[in-house]
Amino acid sequence: MDLRLLADGLSYRLTPASVHGILWLQTHFESQHWELLADGRVTVSRLDAEALWQDATGAGLNVDPLPTLSPSR
């Protein structure tokens, strides 16, 4: 697993689970957010989580599959 999207109320907590996941996050977010991302302290909306899931899996990352975040949505 490279990234995890964990349900957190109506949001999803974004947590890197490998070096590949951290590197991918660093290419998609500004440096001032990296510490929060690396520590798993960032939550995103469902819509953003779905977009993130699609982009990350399209790039070849293994993202923790969630029943509510299917690629067909």
Side-chain angles (χ1 to χ4, degrees):
M1 207 51 49
D2 297 310
L3 291 174
R4 290 190 176 98
L5 288 164
L6 307 168
D8 187 9
L10 297 176
S11 301
Y12 291 87
R13 183 169 303 279
L14 177 59
T15 307
S18 75
V19 171
H20 293 107
I22 290 173
L23 289 173
W24 185 86
L25 290 171
Q26 288 179 338
T27 65
H28 286 75
F29 293 91
E30 296 179 19
S31 60
Q32 68 259 30
H33 304 295
W34 292 350
E35 187 176 336
L36 293 172
L37 288 160
D39 290 342
R41 294 186 286 155
V42 170
T43 57
V44 295
S45 70
R46 175 186 169 88
L47 185 61
D48 289 338
E50 288 178 351
L52 244 156
W53 185 89
Q54 289 179 356
D55 192 34
T57 56
L61 269 66
N62 291 316
V63 182
D64 199 11
L66 297 177
T68 57
L69 293 177
S70 67
S72 61
R73 291 192 158 201

